[in-house]
Amino acid sequence: MASHGTSAVFGVERSLAGRSWRWRGGNMDLGESHAGMAGLEQDLVTQLLLARGVSPDDIERHRTPTLRGFLPDPSAFRDMDEAARRLAEAVLGNETITVYGDYDVDGATSAALLIRLLRMLGHEARYYIPDRLLEGYGPSGEALVRLAEEGSSLIVTVDCGAMAHQALAMAHDAGVDVIVVDHHKCSTELPIAAALVNPNRLDESDTGAAHGHLAAVGVAFLLAIATVRTLRDRGYFETRPEPDLFALLDLVALGTVADVAALHGLNRALVAQGLKIMAKRENTGMSALIDASRLNRAPTCSDLGFALGPRINAGGRVGESTLGVRLLTTQDPDEARAIAGQLSVLNEERRAIEAAVQEAAEDQLASQHNRSVLVLAGSGWHPGVIGIVAGRIKEKTGKPALVIALDADEEGRGKGSGRSISGVDLGSAIIAAREHGLLVAGGGHAMAAGLTVAPDKLDSLADWLDERLSGAVARAMEERSMLLDLALAPGGLTPNLVETLESAGPFGVGWPAPRVAVGPVRLVKADIVGKDHVRLIASGRDGGSFKAVAFRAAETELGQALLHGSRGRNLWLAGRVKLDDWGSRPQAELHVEDAAWAD
């Protein structure tokens, strides 16, 4: 893997945001010479790939990520063949199948994928999405038994079930088969199931474990491949066409990005190909969702995380939990437009609720400044937004954060959601806390977790997590540098550069978007737009100038320095370059994440 540079870039050991600047890999300082950029494009993309851990002899496979290049044999995963056999058997026998999904984007897209697959196979499946407030996360035994009583002989849980020991035992006693398709961390003892497909099983094969970064929708896609292969072997397609599984990749892309799954290896190929499918707008519901998000172009990876995903999530967070699955499976354009519009309204409601909870949570930060893991709790907080708020707090503080809505159920227990930082496995810590008797329930993966806690255990939980994770948090924060891929003069910030950098994507967790340093510059203009965004116009000695914006930065040390302390001083600005295509001619702009004095 490419190593980070040992010397500080431009000698910046402490930037305006308090970070040192290091090269992610190599030194791509274009300096004053930005002419002939086209000749550097191939080398620049190669450099970006090397800096993200690609070995030199594997560059071409990663330069254009395809499923052919990254897809494993689904049979390498534990229980995959048994799951495919049982699902194929249900199709052949025309059994009643219910897909039981989670209420977030990964759950909605996973459920929609299997429903659409079965529809392609000539089979109409039912679905069940629990209500976040009334039923909570994961399958409940009562719901599974009720589905069995209503005629379902096979239930497939997606994005949930790996830790549902009691619920699956009840389903087993009721005589219904359950296939679990999940990606959350498992305990040593697995629940009773007809099959449990999860790359994060502790007994997973080496190939399966290597794909532990898959979102549940990615695992569901592998199950779709295995099921079609099983049906092919049984002659099912001798009289009917095989389904086009590539048509399902838009769902895989949306669920993978919105669940913040690491975008390397197979995930990167799934998202890259899924974006191409999404651009065709062949999925009626997805097309309506794109329109409701006011996108007049093909969606990008960031659109999935910041525009499409939040709308699907809004149904499960503050509205009706089934809206996402209904939208992504409908073939009626009128129904799709209506649901997409409803989700947009709910998303605005979610924003207002989220802002109130975030303000209340931030009021508690001062009392926890010595904590390595922030545990913030309050009565009346909406459980539907606590995960988003935890993510915001994590970004603001650089520490893992748990946000807990107290009195969230009839027994007065707290429902919590956590977000972690790279290098700190929060999911494992939550599972250990549950086994330690500190939690009623809990689970998750490295970067995100959920829990249920009794109020009288809250302080003990906070102390226990602080002690367990303080070392990992300290190490992670010590390594918190601004990693740069490229440095250039302002004149080099062009639309062609943006397109070249984007060609090394898609970018996300585990495959970070390129960060560039531009300068030295002087700020021609600096003001506040919106609530707390800092808008800039910068110019350099080469005569080049560009627009830049530092989001949610007005009240930070960085924002204040840009607004008030930079007059007459030279700066390096660092961040990610984007294409501003609002005007008649596209222009490159910089989304500023950090800055440092250049004089």
Side-chain angles (χ1 to χ4, degrees), residues 235-241:
Y236 190 69
F237 301 115
E238 292 177 0
T239 57
R240 66 174 66 232

Side-chain angles (χ1 to χ4, degrees), residues 457-521:
K457 296 285 188 180
L458 203 55
D459 290 340
S460 298
L461 172 67
D463 292 340
W464 189 88
L465 287 172
D466 199 57
E467 181 178 352
R468 178 183 174 94
L469 295 177
S470 59
V473 172
R475 288 189 295 274
M477 295 189 73
E478 285 175 6
E479 297 170 2
R480 185 172 168 261
S481 300
M482 168 64 72
L483 300 181
L484 297 170
D485 294 279
L486 177 69
L488 68 159
L493 196 61
T494 65
N496 284 340
L497 173 69
V498 178
E499 292 175 3
T500 298
L501 295 177
E502 288 296 324
S503 70
F507 300 106
V509 173
W511 195 267
R515 284 195 179 101
V516 305
V518 188
V521 300

Side-chain angles (χ1 to χ4, degrees), residues 55-201:
S55 62
D57 59 357
D58 205 17
I59 289 292
E60 292 311 312
R61 185 168 73 114
H62 286 79
R63 193 183 298 278
T64 306
T66 63
L67 292 191
R68 182 182 295 274
F70 287 91
L71 196 68
D73 182 348
S75 294
F77 293 76
R78 297 279 188 195
D79 277 10
M80 181 68 80
D81 287 343
E82 180 57 28
R85 183 202 64 75
R86 182 64 187 89
L87 192 55
E89 184 180 274
V91 171
L92 292 168
N94 198 30
E95 298 179 43
T96 299
I97 304 171
T98 296
V99 181
Y100 193 118
D102 188 24
Y103 37 65
D104 69 358
V105 185
D106 193 16
T109 52
S110 299
L113 185 146
L114 290 185
I115 290 165
R116 292 175 70 90
L117 167 71
L118 291 167
R119 192 178 290 165
M120 291 174 178
L121 296 172
H123 191 102
E124 286 294 330
R126 302 176 181 179
Y127 61 84
Y128 186 92
I129 310 295
D131 184 281
R132 177 189 290 265
L133 299 182
L134 299 179
E135 298 176 82
Y137 169 77
S140 72
E142 293 78 7
L144 295 177
V145 171
R146 186 167 64 253
L147 292 172
E149 292 172 346
E150 293 172 355
S152 294
S153 56
L154 176 62
I155 300 172
V156 186
T157 71
V158 288
D159 197 30
C160 59
M163 298 292 290
H165 295 77
Q166 182 178 355
L168 266 62
M170 291 176 65
H172 179 265
D173 292 343
V176 61
D177 286 339
V178 179
I179 295 172
V180 175
V181 179
D182 205 352
H183 69 132
H184 294 98
K185 289 187 177 294
C186 297
S187 58
T188 305
E189 181 183 353
L190 298 174
I192 300 171
L196 195 155
V197 185
N198 183 338
N200 288 304
R201 287 175 56 151

Side-chain angles (χ1 to χ4, degrees), residues 316 453 513:
V453 61

Side-chain angles (χ1 to χ4, degrees), residues 159-429:
D159 197 30
C160 59
M163 298 292 290
H165 295 77
Q166 182 178 355
L168 266 62
M170 291 176 65
H172 179 265
D173 292 343
V176 61
D177 286 339
V178 179
I179 295 172
V180 175
V181 179
D182 205 352
H183 69 132
H184 294 98
K185 289 187 177 294
C186 297
S187 58
T188 305
E189 181 183 353
L190 298 174
I192 300 171
L196 195 155
V197 185
N198 183 338
N200 288 304
R201 287 175 56 151
L202 297 180
D203 62 346
E204 185 55 89
S205 68
D206 290 344
T207 299
H211 292 84
H213 61 296
L214 286 173
V217 70
V219 183
F221 183 71
L222 292 175
L223 175 58
I225 295 172
T227 301
V228 168
R229 183 169 63 187
T230 301
L231 288 169
R232 184 189 305 125
D233 292 342
R234 298 195 183 187
Y236 190 69
F237 301 115
E238 292 177 0
T239 57
R240 66 174 66 232
E242 287 198 19
D244 176 14
L245 297 183
F246 270 73
L248 301 172
L249 286 174
D250 57 346
L251 295 169
V252 181
L254 177 56
T256 298
V257 173
D259 209 53
V260 202
L263 292 191
H264 57 75
L266 177 57
N267 274 351
R268 186 163 164 259
L270 290 170
V271 172
Q273 300 307 315
L275 286 170
K276 295 177 182 177
I277 299 300
M278 197 176 292
K280 296 179 180 179
R281 288 180 169 246
E282 294 175 348
N283 181 323
T284 302
M286 191 74 77
S287 181
L289 183 64
I290 294 169
D291 287 340
S293 301
R294 297 186 291 278
L295 295 176
N296 54 11
R297 50 169 171 73
T300 63
C301 198
S302 61
D303 293 327
L304 306 190
F306 295 105
L308 276 62
R311 283 172 166 78
I312 297 292
N313 257 335
R317 292 186 187 280
V318 299
E320 182 184 338
S321 61
T322 62
L323 288 175
V325 173
R326 286 171 53 197
L327 175 64
L328 297 174
T329 57
T330 185
Q331 295 171 297
D332 181 340
D334 292 334
E335 182 184 26
R337 279 191 294 272
I339 296 175
Q342 187 178 355
L343 286 171
S344 288
V345 171
L346 289 170
N347 193 46
E348 291 304 313
E349 293 180 15
R350 186 270 306 167
R351 287 176 185 268
I353 295 169
E354 173 195 327
V357 174
Q358 182 171 342
E359 182 177 358
E362 288 185 356
D363 286 343
Q364 299 180 17
L365 289 178
S367 64
Q368 296 203 24
H369 68 279
N370 289 325
R371 291 277 192 190
S372 296
V373 180
L374 304 172
V375 180
L376 313 168
S379 297
W381 292 2
H382 197 299
V385 302
I386 53 177
I388 303 174
V389 173
R392 299 274 194 215
I393 299 293
K394 182 259 295 188
E395 291 297 328
K396 181 170 185 173
T397 63
K399 296 179 179 181
L402 283 169
V403 177
I404 299 171
L406 298 177
D407 303 319
D409 63 16
E410 295 177 353
E411 299 178 48
R413 299 177 300 191
K415 296 287 186 179
S417 188
R419 298 294 182 268
S420 194
I421 59 177
S422 295
V424 180
D425 189 339
L426 184 60
S428 291

